[in-house]
Amino acid sequence: DGGITQSPKYLFRKEGQNVTLSCEQNLNHDAMYWYRQDPGQGLRLIYYSQIVNDFQKGDIAEGYSVSREKKESFPLTVTSAQKNPTAFYLCASSIQQNYGYTFGSGTRLTVV
Amino acid sequence: DQQVKQNSPSLSVQEGRISILNCDYTNSMFDYFLWYKKYPAEGPTFLISISSIKDKNEDGRFTVFLNKSAKHLSLHIVPSQPGDSAVYFCAASAPNTDKLIFGTGTRLQVFP
């Protein structure tokens, strides 16, 4: 079955530590995205990538970094510079010029 | 600057009645609009979409209406069912971009 997998589902980290969230897709989609969901703020775009080895900042990229070394994978690193990292993180993918996103099931990150 | 707005954070509807979820946008360049449904701790799933060349699109119990002059779209669910209880996000896209801009979401509760 084709799909998009985020792992882990729940993640706890101490303040000041970097943490990397995994996102893998086997849909052969070119574009991948990272969104963050906070209560009352909807989904906000962190980073996106339209092709391998290329990515662009979204609306709230500060404190985050990404890589796109393979078409299937788009990991997100939440760095210690991110002031409010506790949130629900969603990864998505789409075919270029196709506006339907397929979302993963999300990772809830809690920083203590 | 919120380009896509869902001004009602929540909506409660009796089973069998119509649910109407509203969405407003400010960017006149948007030409494609989508609705996503999200259950807690899961990723959003695509529900229905509409191109700006249309004013209505229907899929079973779900109908989306677009009023370009008012920069307003709405999602009608009829008849509403308890399984429709979820958070609904509207999203919009401009030409030649893969990015979707999401609204803040409306939590729909359908009670018996």
Side-chain angles (χ1 to χ4, degrees), chain A residues 1-21:
Chain A
D1 272 337
I4 183 165
T5 302
Q6 289 186 244
S7 61
K9 195 163 181 68
Y10 299 95
L11 190 55
F12 294 87
R13 278 295 180 269
K14 290 184 179 178
E15 194 172 339
Q17 288 182 336
N18 291 357
V19 60
T20 297
L21 282 60

Side-chain angles (χ1 to χ4, degrees), chain B residues 70-88:
Chain B
K71 295 193 181 70
H72 176 84
L73 65 154
S74 61
L75 174 68
H76 293 210
I77 306 173
V78 55
S80 301
Q81 300 173 354
D84 296 329
S85 298
V87 176
Y88 290 79

Side-chain angles (χ1 to χ4, degrees), chain A residues 9 33 35 37 96-97 101, chain B residues 36 38 41 43 93 97-98 100:
Chain A
K9 195 163 181 68
Y33 313 82
Y35 283 86
Q37 184 187 10
Q96 288 278 18
Q97 302 303 316
Y101 285 9
Chain B
Y36 282 82
K38 185 183 180 302
S93 175
T97 175
D98 290 314
L100 287 181

